[in-house]
Amino acid sequence: MPKVFVVADNIYSPLGSTTAENFSELLKGNSGVRRHSRPEIFSEPFFAAIFSQEKNQEFSTGIQNANKYTKFEKLLIHSIKNALSLCDVDIQSASTAIIISTTKGNISLLENEIVTGEMKAQLPLHSSAKAVADYFHNPNLPVTISNACISGISALLTAKRLIETDQYENVIVAGADVISSFIFSGFNSFQAISKQVCKPFDADRSGINLGEAAATIILSKHNKNAYATLDGGSVSNDANHISGPSRTGEELAIAIKKAMQEADAKPDAIDFISGHGTATLYNDEMEAKAINIAGLQQVPVNSLKPYFGHTLGAAGILESVVALSTMKQNTIIPTLGFESIGVPVPVNVPNTITTKNVNKILKIAAGFGGCNAALVFSKN
């Protein structure tokens, strides 16, 4: 199979509008998770990483005919534009595809707007993807990936396969989600929302924080300006429960092992794991078990949820971007707030900035419906 190169990326979040800005804030230990009083989202104060109301007013800046696009679509446009500015990929070429990763898309429109025929046309996920593709004058029909919380990793793996099979030379993978009352109430109904900044893998963890963001990774068959390669990936499903993960971790371990096998990477070759780390009781236990089954329990692992919240359809891409920056700078971001291990098997969770040579990374995720995913990236 031909190599698949990473040539550009972006994170557009409450912490910053570029990858560099976001990584700088992480190095300072700053979090986008704040206590908010937003009755349009939830009746009580809550902790989440969401854009300020002032920032919301800036989303139209630099976007032509901005009134045509929703907040969700504007986030995608901003993120893609920034990533494109860092490389010479021609988004208007027929050899460039676009994949959009999201879990809920424009669902928030139903909460605040009068339902019209025009709105109904905006609600399908493929409609937003087409709107974004049309904004950039891309001639191809965009692909939409919506597979719960592994959507971003699934999208990157799909892009890898499209390049490997010579269907496209470049693929732009962008993900986003916007926090709404619908989304928040759904997670709250599971009693999964933490009343403080979340603490993944910690003995005192009590649930997740939600977050909104957009992120983009551009993959290419061409090595020009590439700084990493996407070497392997896999998805699996444990079929355990509609919202509860496997109790054994075996199925996520299958995805990890298959991704490593495709990447021709033994456990001792992995320098860092970007975990999913939702800070819910069962997810973190399952993830720790999967890491152990795969023989990776000594490898440093972190979770970015205390910084960005759980960004849903953006999470797999956003967290992969931070992992790529980790590899570029040989600097591992600690899991904010982690104090003592709270999972039944050992995992290596640094709580201070760690400097080491990072040449190969593993990104993992799990989601509702029992879906699991893993990717392996290498320094180019």
Side-chain angles (χ1 to χ4, degrees), residues 297-344:
Q297 60 268 29
Q298 300 301 321
V299 180
V301 58
N302 75 2
S303 169
L304 297 173
K305 301 300 191 292
Y307 299 96
F308 295 102
H310 192 337
T311 56
L312 306 177
I317 304 170
L318 183 154
E319 293 163 9
S320 291
V321 172
V322 174
L324 290 165
S325 292
T326 293
M327 192 160 58
K328 282 182 185 178
Q329 301 194 28
N330 294 313
T331 302
I332 297 172
I333 301 297
T335 299
L336 190 67
F338 177 81
E339 296 175 358
S340 59
I341 197 72
V343 291

Side-chain angles (χ1 to χ4, degrees), residues 30-47:
N30 293 333
S31 171
V33 177
R34 301 279 191 275
R35 185 178 185 270
H36 296 274
S37 294
R38 298 279 292 271
E40 74 277 16
I41 295 177
F42 192 60
S43 58
E44 300 174 8
F46 60 92
F47 283 83

Side-chain angles (χ1 to χ4, degrees), residues 9-13 15-23 82:
D9 60 52
N10 170 262
I11 297 173
Y12 194 94
S13 83
L15 280 178
S17 301
T18 67
T19 298
E21 288 175 5
N22 277 272
F23 201 75
N82 183 272

Side-chain angles (χ1 to χ4, degrees), residues 118-157:
E118 182 180 359
M119 179 201 286
K120 289 180 180 179
Q122 287 182 298
L123 287 173
L125 300 182
H126 64 82
S127 296
S128 290
K130 186 67 164 55
V132 171
D134 288 348
Y135 177 87
F136 289 102
H137 304 291
N138 182 269
N140 300 308
L141 187 67
V143 177
T144 304
I145 302 290
S146 185
N147 191 10
C149 300
I150 72 165
S151 296
I153 295 184
S154 298
L156 287 165
L157 184 53

Side-chain angles (χ1 to χ4, degrees), residues 57-327:
Q57 297 172 2
E58 298 177 11
F59 289 148
S60 297
T61 304
I63 296 179
Q64 296 178 346
N65 301 316
N67 291 337
K68 289 176 54 179
Y69 304 100
T70 64
K71 174 181 174 179
F72 164 67
E73 292 156 4
K74 290 173 187 175
L75 288 177
L76 289 167
I77 290 169
H78 276 297
S79 184
I80 292 171
K81 284 179 69 173
N82 183 272
L84 286 170
S85 72
L86 304 176
C87 65
D88 60 0
V89 168
D90 182 3
I91 196 171
Q92 297 183 25
S93 169
S95 65
T96 300
I98 296 175
I99 300 179
I100 301 299
S101 162
T102 185
T103 64
K104 296 295 183 288
N106 280 325
I107 195 70
S108 61
L109 295 180
L110 291 173
E111 297 175 6
N112 306 312
E113 308 285 345
I114 298 172
V115 177
T116 63
E118 182 180 359
M119 179 201 286
K120 289 180 180 179
Q122 287 182 298
L123 287 173
L125 300 182
H126 64 82
S127 296
S128 290
K130 186 67 164 55
V132 171
D134 288 348
Y135 177 87
F136 289 102
H137 304 291
N138 182 269
N140 300 308
L141 187 67
V143 177
T144 304
I145 302 290
S146 185
N147 191 10
C149 300
I150 72 165
S151 296
I153 295 184
S154 298
L156 287 165
L157 184 53
T158 301
K160 183 179 189 294
R161 303 294 187 236
L162 290 174
I163 292 172
E164 287 174 333
T165 53
D166 289 326
Q167 296 182 62
Y168 295 97
E169 294 184 18
N170 312 293
V171 184
I172 297 165
V173 185
D177 265 308
V178 175
I179 301 307
S180 64
S181 175
F182 174 81
I183 293 173
F184 193 96
S185 62
F187 280 93
N188 191 57
S189 69
F190 290 118
Q191 300 181 345
I193 300 290
S194 176
K195 294 183 179 180
Q196 59 185 355
V197 179
C198 68
K199 302 180 70 173
F201 303 111
D202 193 84
D204 191 36
R205 69 187 185 279
S206 58
I208 71 170
N209 305 133
L210 294 174
E212 55 187 16
T216 300
I217 289 178
I218 301 180
L219 300 177
S220 178
K221 68 180 293 184
H222 304 294
N223 194 9
K224 185 178 180 182
N225 300 321
Y227 48 89
T229 55
L230 177 49
D231 300 334
S234 180
V235 298
S236 67
N237 196 287
D238 56 53
N240 175 68
H241 188 269
I242 188 66
S243 61
S246 163
R247 297 295 186 261
T248 67
E250 293 176 1
E251 297 81 7
L252 174 57
I254 290 171
I256 292 171
K257 290 177 179 179
K258 287 188 174 181
M260 291 172 59
Q261 181 180 15
E262 183 181 357
D264 194 23
K266 303 296 185 185
D268 60 3
I270 302 297
D271 298 308
F272 165 66
I273 302 169
S274 174
H276 192 54
T278 61
T280 54
L281 177 63
Y282 293 124
N283 176 87
D284 290 11
E285 285 192 2
M286 181 276 289
E287 200 169 345
K289 290 175 181 177
I291 289 169
N292 274 259
I293 293 170
L296 300 168
Q297 60 268 29
Q298 300 301 321
V299 180
V301 58
N302 75 2
S303 169
L304 297 173
K305 301 300 191 292
Y307 299 96
F308 295 102
H310 192 337
T311 56
L312 306 177
I317 304 170
L318 183 154
E319 293 163 9
S320 291
V321 172
V322 174
L324 290 165
S325 292
T326 293
M327 192 160 58

